[in-house]
Amino acid sequence: MNILIKSATIIDPKSEFHNSTQDLLVQNGYITNIGSNLKNPKNYKEIQLDNLHISQGWFDSSVCFGEPGYEERETIENGLKTAAASGFTTVVMNSNTNPVIDTNADIAFVLSKSANHAVTLLPLGALTRSSKGEDLAELFDMKMAGAVAFYDYKTAVTNPNMMKIALQYACNFDGLVCSFPQENKITRNGVMNEQVTSTKLGLKGNPALAEELQVARDLFLLEYAGGKLHIPTISTSKSVALIKEAKARKLDVTCSVAIHNLCFTDEALNDFDTNFKVIPPLRTQNDVEALIEGLKDGTIDMVTSDHAPIDIEEKKVEFDHANYGTIGLESAFGALQTVLSTKKAIEVLTRGKSRFGIEPNPIKIGQELNATLFNPNNTYTFSENDIKSRSKNAIFKGSSLKGKVYGIIANNKMYLNP
């Protein structure tokens, strides 16, 4: 791929051209020159877009694509196109398929379906067989096949000895263990945050305590067993405090937060819209503020769209019976910019890769180009027309967002939105 990108503002603190507007000459996928008013003697395709900005490619640590087994929700092919259209050059795919991804053959299948795409797909293997929490899955075999971590998606590991053994075993091959932060005996049948709003609406509550107990337990286990732990999608202020304290004690722990938990509180459920039924649930304003602060100070390592396509039959039902989850790739950038500055939004969208074994690609001469193209100033109301996913369960539908994604350049390929 040979192109000339014209007048792009570079947002990349790792680049000497950070905050400057430059032309970028790309030959065979590599940056061969950066400067002002570069010539185009070989008549390469020129990319010139309104208020064009460019950054390192964005990263999402938690997406669901459905395939195999739930292709009606989403396929890997369309999921990757959606990720590209949304500005993501690397995504981590969860194991909640049918069957669950818990063998090396499953990992090989997913990687084969995602080969030769602009977006790099990193598969997660299940931590336990069929994500049932009874026996460890084939962790080492999956690691050798290409799994970047091990996670029973949105399923708490209830047996603490299982988590201890997983951490100890994964130490042998530098494996990353993920643990969903929820104590099921506390949560029981709760469908939203346990607080004033749940009482007013007459819905069963899922208390912050359920998350915090599990976080505390897993941090104690990590301290005892050693290893590497990732806690996906925390949602409470006390979880932030617990992880901050653990990091101060030099424990090898990282965590993420779902973007919708930064933007909405439990009061958004007043209309019983099932698109707002997510897990972990939307919490209080105090929690939202603590999550944003934790993201800014680095306690929270990365954001995720927590993209979870759900077909209409599982959402257009009574709130108690609706499935959890929202799609989020398409709205991720625009939503983040409603709570963070552009520079901070780009920073959090590009960090976290190294935890999953991906090295950053700074925008500099001689480096392979792995980048996202965008306009940070475009404002719009997110609607169904903006959805690329097969499923339409979007929590941000009707929200005012800021920022337009033009596309991505990665793996010597380019994807630009029409």
Side-chain angles (χ1 to χ4, degrees):
M1 181 190 65
N2 302 308
I3 56 172
L4 178 62
I5 302 171
K6 300 290 291 183
S7 301
T9 301
I10 298 171
I11 307 296
D12 181 6
K14 298 291 177 64
S15 170
E16 62 181 292
F17 300 99
H18 180 49
N19 283 336
S20 66
T21 300
Q22 305 285 344
D23 297 346
L24 291 86
L25 182 63
V26 181
Q27 295 177 294
N28 297 319
Y30 284 80
I31 304 171
T32 56
N33 201 1
I34 300 177
S36 300
N37 300 313
L38 294 182
K39 303 299 181 183
N40 189 8
K42 295 186 179 181
N43 293 319
Y44 292 154
K45 179 177 181 179
E46 293 192 7
I47 307 298
Q48 194 158 11
L49 299 164
D50 181 47
N51 194 30
L52 176 60
H53 286 58
I54 187 170
S55 73
Q56 289 189 43
W58 301 346
F59 171 71
D60 194 330
S61 61
S62 178
V63 302
C64 303
F65 287 157
E67 188 179 5
Y70 299 116
E71 287 85 356
E72 74 280 3
R73 298 178 181 178
E74 189 60 282
T75 62
I76 290 174
E77 180 181 0
N78 192 67
L80 291 175
K81 287 180 180 178
T82 300
S86 306
F88 293 91
T89 61
T90 307
V91 296
V92 177
M93 177 180 157
N94 289 303
S95 60
N96 60 325
T97 53
N98 186 19
V100 169
I101 299 171
D102 63 1
T103 69
N104 57 354
D106 297 329
I107 296 294
F109 170 80
V110 169
L111 289 175
S112 69
K113 295 288 288 188
S114 63
N116 301 314
H117 201 281
V119 178
T120 298
L121 185 150
L122 306 177
L124 290 176
L127 184 64
T128 64
R129 290 180 185 172
S130 300
S131 292
K132 291 182 177 179
E134 297 171 359
D135 301 288
L136 280 185
E138 300 174 4
L139 306 189
F140 180 73
D141 285 352
M142 288 192 287
K143 171 82 170 181
M144 292 299 99
V148 294
F150 310 103
Y151 178 37
D152 291 344
Y153 176 74
K154 303 291 186 182
T155 302
V157 179
T158 58
N159 183 343
N161 192 52
M162 179 69 69
M163 179 58 62
K164 175 180 75 74
I165 292 170
L167 287 166
Q168 290 173 327
Y169 177 55
C171 278
N172 294 309
F173 50 89
D174 197 34
L176 177 62
V177 173
C178 306
S179 178
F180 182 58
Q182 179 170 287
E183 170 50 73
N184 293 336
K185 289 184 175 65
I186 298 290
T187 301
R188 297 179 68 83
N189 297 318
V191 295
M192 68 169 293
N193 183 51
E194 184 180 85
Q195 259 288 347
V196 174
T197 304
S198 64
T199 303
K200 182 177 69 173
L201 298 178
L203 294 173
K204 296 183 180 70
N206 176 339
L209 176 66
E211 174 175 309
E212 293 150 6
L213 280 176
Q214 194 82 346
V215 169
R217 185 206 76 170
D218 287 344
L219 291 173
F220 274 118
L221 290 170
L222 178 65
E223 187 170 29
Y224 177 84
K228 295 163 58 176
L229 176 68
H230 179 67
I231 304 176
T233 58
I234 64 171
S235 67
T236 79
S237 59
K238 191 165 288 187
S239 291
V240 176
L242 287 167
I243 292 168
K244 188 172 188 175
E245 180 187 5
K247 288 187 171 186
R249 301 202 314 271
K250 307 300 182 183
L251 296 186
D252 194 351
V253 60
T254 53
C255 64
S256 67
V257 62
I259 292 171
H260 48 260
N261 282 100
L262 301 171
C263 300
F264 297 109
T265 69
D266 54 2
E267 293 182 1
L269 276 73
N270 282 327
D271 294 328
F272 297 94
D273 185 343
T274 57
N275 284 329
F276 290 86
K277 186 179 179 181
V278 292
I279 187 166
L282 304 175
R283 302 290 188 182
T284 67
Q285 185 61 36
N286 179 64
D287 293 312
V288 168
E289 292 171 3
L291 292 167
I292 293 173
E293 186 58 35
L295 196 59
K296 289 179 178 178
D297 68 20
T299 301
I300 300 175
D301 301 270
M302 60 199 84
V303 295
T304 172
S305 67
D306 208 21
H307 185 76
I310 304 294
D311 52 58
I312 191 170
E313 289 83 2
E314 295 185 80
K315 278 294 188 180
K316 289 287 186 180
V317 293
E318 291 180 0
F319 196 90
D320 276 344
H321 300 294
N323 202 345
Y324 293 97
T326 174
I327 58 173
L329 283 169
E330 301 96 315
S331 54
F333 177 53
L336 261 184
Q337 284 213 116
T338 65
V339 293
L340 299 173
S341 68
T342 296
K343 288 181 180 178
K344 180 57 71 171
I346 298 306
E347 179 197 327
V348 299
L349 282 168
T350 54
R351 73 191 193 196
K353 297 178 185 179
S354 60
R355 189 60 164 173
F356 295 88
I358 298 294
E359 294 304 316
N361 289 75
I363 298 174
K364 64 180 184 180
I365 296 171
Q367 183 74 42
E368 184 176 7
L369 185 61
N370 182 300
T372 302
L373 312 178
F374 60 97
N375 176 354
N377 297 334
N378 187 69
T379 57
Y380 66 103
T381 299
F382 188 79
S383 70
E384 195 156 318
N385 292 331
D386 299 301
I387 296 174
K388 313 291 186 186
S389 304
R390 283 192 170 191
S391 298
K392 311 301 178 186
N393 55 309
I395 197 171
F396 285 100
K397 200 180 296 183
S399 296
S400 179
L401 305 183
K402 181 183 178 184
K404 177 181 180 179
V405 175
Y406 287 127
I408 64 169
I409 300 171
N411 293 324
N412 200 20
K413 295 178 176 62
M414 179 168 59
Y415 180 98
L416 293 181
N417 286 314

